Amino acid sequence: MAPTYPPPEGAASVRDALRALRSAGAAMAQSAATLETRPAAAEPPRLQRAEPLEGDAVRVRRVEGEPAVGVAAFLDGIQESRVLAHWPGGIPLVHGTVAATVRRRVGRTLATWRPDATRVERALFVPRAALGAAAWRALAEGCAVRDTLEAADAGPWHPQELTARALSAVQRRREAAETACAELWCAEGDGPLFVDGGIASAGSAAHSALAIGVVKSHRTLYVDGDALPRVLGLAGGERTTAFTVASPRRAAVASWYLRLRDPAAHDALWGLVRVEVALERATPERCDLVSRWLLAERSPVSLPDPRWGAMAYGVRLTEEYLRAVTR
C-alpha cells in the first residue's frame, strides 16, 4: 500500500469508481449507507480460559505506582465501505477506503511521524469469478479493483454473502495497513506505541517491546470459573494478573484486564480494557509500568465519543486525523 502523500497511483476514489462503473454498465445503487453501519450477525459472546502467567490463577491487584506518561506514539486504523452499484444477478460492487497511521507525541499534541507511516488505500472490491473476465477488465481499466473471493471459492453465491465477503476483504486491507505501520514503528520508532486493538496479528510487532495493544471490545472474555466475577468487579486503577492469549493463526501474547475508570452507574464492562504485550516481556513489573502509562492516558477525556470510558484521547485524535485525510 502506498503512503498518503502523494496519493497512491491506481487508487480508486469514489468518483473514479463511479465513472468506471457507469462505463461498464453497472446498475447504480441508491443507498449511501456504509456497510460498517448496517446491522450484522453478531458473534455470540463467549468465555475462554487462558493460561495464567502470574501465579496459578487470574487474580486482582492494584496497579503499583502513580500514573505516568510513557506512550510515545499512537496507532489507529479506519475503514469505510459502501455498495455503489449492482452487476446483473444481484452482485454488489463495493467501494472501500482503508487508512492507518502512526501519530507521535510532540509536547501536548500529536504529529505525523513520517509520510510512509500514514497509509491510505481506495479500491473497488468485487467478486472476480462472479463477474467474469470481461467485466473485471472493464472495471480495472477505470480504477483499482480487489478480488473478494478466494481461488477455491465456488458459486453460486447469495448476494448478501458477496456483500459480507467484500466487507471482510476491506477489513483485511485495513489490518494489513495497521500491521505495516506497527512493524515500521517497532523497527525504526523510538518509545512505546499505543496500538488501538490487539497486537497478536501485528506480525513482528507482536514480539516487540515497543508495541502495546489496547482492546476495548469484549465479545470474548478470557476468563472462566471464579475469575469472571474478579474481572467484572475490577475497580478503577486495578488490573488482573497476566495470562497468555494464544491462537493457531496469531502470535501468543501476554494479556491482562485493566479498569481505567470506576464503573459505578455503568455496566460491568464499562471502562475496561484488555492489554496485550509481547509474551517475552511480561514480568509483573512490566505489566504495572504499562498499566501506569495507560492510566495516564485517561486525561483529557475523549468526549463526545460514546466510547470515552475506554478510549484514550490520543486514539481519538488519531482517528480524527484519518477521517480528515480520507475525505
Side-chain angles (χ1 to χ4, degrees):
M1 294 173 62
T4 304
Y5 307 110
E9 294 183 6
S13 68
V14 172
R15 183 176 298 177
D16 294 334
L18 288 172
R19 186 181 301 114
L21 291 168
R22 291 190 183 100
S23 297
M28 310 309 293
Q30 298 301 312
S31 174
T34 64
L35 298 182
E36 287 78 11
T37 61
R38 295 184 183 182
E43 177 187 349
R46 64 192 180 101
L47 303 179
Q48 180 174 320
R49 185 183 183 279
E51 191 67 29
L53 283 175
E54 296 180 74
D56 58 357
V58 175
R59 306 290 183 187
V60 174
R61 57 180 293 168
R62 193 77 188 173
V63 175
E64 296 292 337
E66 293 298 315
V69 176
V71 172
F74 296 84
L75 186 155
D76 194 15
I78 63 170
Q79 68 180 70
E80 184 177 276
S81 50
R82 52 171 47 88
V83 178
L84 294 186
H86 294 90
W87 200 254
I91 299 171
L93 307 180
V94 176
H95 182 270
T97 299
V98 301
T101 191
V102 173
R103 300 275 282 171
R104 65 185 180 91
R105 177 170 263 142
V106 180
R108 298 176 65 85
T109 187
L110 298 181
T112 302
W113 175 37
R114 58 194 228 189
D116 58 347
T118 299
R119 298 172 180 247
V120 176
E121 179 182 359
R122 298 177 178 90
L124 199 61
F125 289 78
V126 297
R128 183 171 187 168
L131 283 181
W136 174 273
R137 286 195 300 270
L139 292 175
E141 288 176 359
C143 66
V145 284
R146 298 281 184 189
D147 193 358
T148 61
L149 298 176
E150 302 293 334
D153 289 341
W157 297 274
H158 192 292
Q160 291 180 352
E161 179 188 0
L162 292 175
T163 302
R165 294 286 189 99
L167 183 58
S168 296
V170 174
Q171 181 176 336
R172 289 194 298 272
R173 299 303 299 176
R174 174 183 57 79
E175 291 172 350
E178 292 172 349
T179 295
C181 289
E183 291 183 323
L184 185 62
W185 176 271
C186 291
E188 304 180 31
D190 181 21
L193 175 67
F194 186 121
V195 178
D196 185 43
I199 63 169
S201 59
S204 60
H207 303 284
S208 171
L210 299 184
I212 301 166
V214 182
V215 181
K216 302 188 296 293
S217 59
H218 305 291
R219 181 66 60 178
T220 298
L221 284 170
Y222 292 90
V223 291
D224 62 357
D226 295 339
L228 179 59
R230 294 177 192 147
V231 170
L232 300 182
L234 286 172
E238 290 183 341
R239 73 171 179 91
T240 66
T241 49
F243 48 87
T244 302
V245 173
S247 167
R249 295 175 295 175
R250 299 180 179 182
V253 294
S255 187
W256 65 92
Y257 287 99
L258 172 67
R259 182 80 72 175
L260 297 178
R261 307 175 192 278
D262 192 275
H266 296 278
D267 67 64
L269 298 177
W270 191 85
L272 186 71
V273 296
R274 186 173 59 80
V275 189
E276 291 185 356
V277 299
L279 188 60
E280 302 86 347
R281 315 283 179 173
T283 64
E285 295 76 19
R286 170 74 172 171
C287 295
D288 274 340
L289 178 61
V290 170
S291 296
R292 290 169 58 203
W293 293 342
L294 299 183
L295 290 170
E297 299 301 331
R298 294 177 296 184
S299 180
V301 177
S302 297
L303 288 170
D305 196 290
R307 302 164 294 175
W308 68 270
M311 188 179 197
Y313 192 68
V315 171
R316 173 174 167 76
L317 291 181
T318 302
E319 187 174 293
E320 289 179 343
Y321 171 80
L322 289 172
R323 297 292 180 196
V325 300
T326 55
R327 283 185 186 140

